[in-house]
Amino acid sequence: MAISDVKEYAHLTPEDVEAIGVELDTIRREIEASRGQRDARYIRNVIRLQRALEISGRAVLFASFLPPAWLAGVALLGTAKIIENMEIGHNVMHGQWDWMNDPEIHSASWEWDNVGPSEHWKITHNFLHHKYTNVLGMDDDIGYGLLRVTRDQRWSPFYLGQPVYNLLLQMFFEYGVAIQHLELGKVAKKKWAADSPERKQFEEDRRTVLQKVGKQVAKDYLIFPLLTGPAFLSTLSANVAANIIRNVWTNAVIFCGHFPDGAEKFTKADIDGETQGQWYLRQMLGSANISGGPVLHFMSGNLSHQIEHHLFPDLPSNRLASIAVRVRALCDKYDLPYTTGSLPVQYGKSWRTIIKLSLPNKYLRRSTDDAPETRSERVFGGVAEIDPVTGRRQGLRTALKQGRRRLAEARRAVPIG
């Protein structure tokens, strides 16, 4: 991995890192202490809205043989599916609303509306992804086993097709999530005995996935279309379209939070003996936000506040906007980058990385040390300066700006030809 030492990379003293951890712990305690009826009312209203949209969409599709009704049904149903997956399912299964002790809105009981079993997702996402965020070889969300998103992943001819793979992953993202837990690429290399515990566990997990896929396919592509009688085919196509809309949107939001420039990657060595403060720092450096208004934040499940979500994955999503103000102030205080940008900009950067890294490194202009999608501590070029005002070493945000300036000057100084 390019970043060989998180503490050195950030140009923070151990005391700085732990002080950041203390401030973030304080934010957590204050939010936990202030949760109450306003928050409970929020999530219950969201659930009522989502169900109203879904029922309306299903009702309109009885007339889906009429183009206006088809379009309205797709819009209503697609919106309902996005809200259910993003603002409700994802956040409920993170345990954000467990404090309510409401069995209907609890991480242990919620099963969301897509083909991925919630019990598997809570392992691959809640545990592995959030604990080992952007750690190569530990976090399977780095490229989802299909894409090369950092130069520290060894290139192979397979990656030449990754622009196509990503288009397919966008359209059928729920199926990618469903099979992620099975780790089919790793299983293909295994030589298990037929009665081995590993083989039995894999077969049980596969059966769980197939059962969930069967239920979802039957619901969306058989039962609901049949209920509309003569509108069966148009309703079927509307359900396909609504699911694709949900899949593409979910994929875009998730990619914007993890793959734009500034969302750093790490190695297993970086997390050896990691303290809570260092874990917080890794979440801040490895995540990216999407700037926008209330509608975008809501429709993204508030994952537009990806930095804050990674710092506090089990705090209510409706609080992340206010938390973001405090986290950004903390970044200013310690001269840390706060990676954010509009949806088109962040998504464009993600696609640029995916297209660019489909090629071998020898065809890429930047080196591993100064590539925009990941950097090395060597980009800083020496010992950090001391800030005369704070008495602390120069922070990462300033160091990055100076590093980019030095690299640009060095490239301009190289004679052409």
Side-chain angles (χ1 to χ4, degrees):
M1 182 57 218
I3 302 170
S4 63
D5 190 308
V6 174
K7 294 183 292 297
E8 176 146 346
Y9 177 74
H11 291 90
L12 297 172
T13 66
E15 292 75 19
D16 288 336
V17 175
E18 296 315 305
I20 290 171
V22 170
E23 294 201 44
L24 290 170
D25 282 340
T26 300
I27 293 174
R28 165 179 284 282
R29 287 193 298 270
E30 290 178 3
I31 297 299
E32 287 176 337
S34 65
R35 293 176 302 196
Q37 286 302 313
R38 179 170 63 91
D39 305 290
R41 187 164 55 251
Y42 170 81
I43 188 61
R44 290 193 173 107
N45 285 339
V46 171
I47 291 173
R48 279 193 283 269
L49 170 65
Q50 187 275 329
R51 290 175 177 170
L53 288 169
E54 181 170 1
I55 291 170
S56 299
R58 300 288 185 193
V60 169
L61 289 177
F62 276 86
S64 59
F65 48 83
L66 300 172
W70 188 92
L71 288 171
V74 169
L76 289 165
L77 191 56
T79 302
K81 284 177 173 289
I82 287 172
I83 294 172
E84 195 284 329
N85 277 192
M86 304 293 282
E87 182 65 347
I88 303 174
H90 170 271
N91 296 332
V92 168
M93 290 191 292
H94 262 299
Q96 293 181 11
W97 308 99
D98 286 0
W99 58 273
M100 293 168 56
N101 294 317
D102 184 336
E104 184 186 9
I105 314 172
H106 198 281
S107 60
S109 57
W110 192 274
E111 186 60 61
W112 58 354
D113 180 28
N114 71 41
V115 298
S118 62
E119 62 184 279
H120 289 176
W121 183 87
K122 284 184 280 190
I123 296 172
T124 58
H125 184 84
N126 284 17
F127 176 68
L128 292 175
H129 171 60
H130 276 270
K131 182 174 182 178
Y132 302 111
T133 305
N134 285 11
V135 177
L136 209 60
M138 302 289 285
D139 180 7
D140 287 340
D141 282 14
I142 299 178
Y144 292 90
L146 278 177
L147 307 174
R148 181 176 180 244
V149 294
T150 170
R151 295 163 196 248
D152 302 294
Q153 292 172 278
R154 184 174 299 185
W155 183 87
S156 74
F158 173 81
Y159 291 121
L160 288 170
Q162 70 179 28
V164 176
Y165 309 153
N166 194 41
L167 281 173
L168 294 173
L169 183 62
Q170 279 187 318
M171 294 178 64
F172 305 104
F173 192 59
E174 60 177 319
Y175 292 92
V177 171
I179 65 175
Q180 184 181 17
H181 181 79
L182 299 180
E183 298 184 313
L184 297 178
K186 296 178 182 178
V187 170
K189 301 174 183 177
K190 302 287 185 181
K191 295 182 179 179
W192 291 324
D195 59 346
S196 68
E198 294 84 0
R199 167 65 68 179
K200 290 180 179 178
Q201 183 63 55
F202 169 74
E203 291 176 349
E204 180 181 338
D205 290 343
R206 182 180 60 189
R207 185 163 50 252
T208 300
V209 170
L210 291 175
Q211 287 173 348
K212 182 69 190 296
V213 170
K215 290 178 181 178
Q216 288 295 123
V217 169
K219 174 178 74 72
D220 277 343
Y221 305 139
L222 182 62
I223 295 173
F224 278 116
L226 280 174
L227 289 175
T228 61
F232 174 86
L233 290 179
S234 54
T235 300
L236 172 62
S237 66
N239 285 354
V240 170
N243 279 327
I244 290 176
I245 288 171
R246 183 268 317 278
N247 291 341
V248 171
W249 176 254
T250 303
N251 173 276
V253 170
I254 290 173
F255 275 42
C256 286
H258 298 92
F259 301 143
D261 301 353
E264 306 299 347
K265 313 300 184 295
F266 309 94
T267 61
K268 296 177 184 178
D270 292 325
I271 63 173
D272 285 345
E274 187 177 60
T275 66
Q276 180 65 29
Q278 291 165 354
W279 181 87
Y280 276 138
L281 181 61
R282 179 161 54 83
Q283 305 308 312
M284 295 165 75
L285 299 180
S287 307
N289 282 8
I290 308 171
S291 58
V295 174
L296 182 140
H297 296 318
F298 177 71
M299 292 302 293
S300 70
N302 278 287
L303 293 182
S304 49
H305 304 296
Q306 190 71 236
I307 296 170
E308 290 71 28
H309 171 64
H310 268 269
L311 290 170
F312 310 112
D314 58 348
L315 291 185
S317 58
N318 63 312
R319 297 298 196 96
L320 294 183
S322 61
I323 293 173
V325 176
R326 300 175 68 177
V327 171
R328 191 156 197 164
L330 190 63
C331 289
D332 290 341
K333 177 179 178 180
Y334 287 93
D335 199 11
L336 288 169
Y338 187 85
T339 304
T340 188
S342 68
L343 180 65
V345 168
Q346 299 295 68
Y347 198 41
K349 288 179 178 179
S350 300
W351 262 104
R352 184 193 63 192
T353 294
I354 289 167
I355 293 170
K356 184 170 63 175
L357 295 188
S358 65
L359 301 173
N361 285 354
K362 65 181 179 180
Y363 295 112
L364 304 177
R365 190 173 64 136
R366 300 288 184 88
S367 70
T368 300
D369 291 335
D370 69 337
E373 71 277 357
T374 187
R375 286 177 288 262
S376 159
E377 77 286 348
R378 289 183 289 277
V379 78
F380 302 127
V383 179
E385 300 171 1
I386 301 297
D387 187 318
V389 177
T390 65
R392 287 194 297 267
R393 285 185 292 173
Q394 169 184 276
L396 175 56
R397 183 168 55 191
T398 299
L400 286 173
K401 291 178 181 177
Q402 294 179 349
R404 284 193 293 267
R405 186 171 63 248
R406 281 195 298 270
L407 287 166
E409 291 171 352
R411 281 193 290 269
R412 284 197 298 269
V414 175
I416 299 175

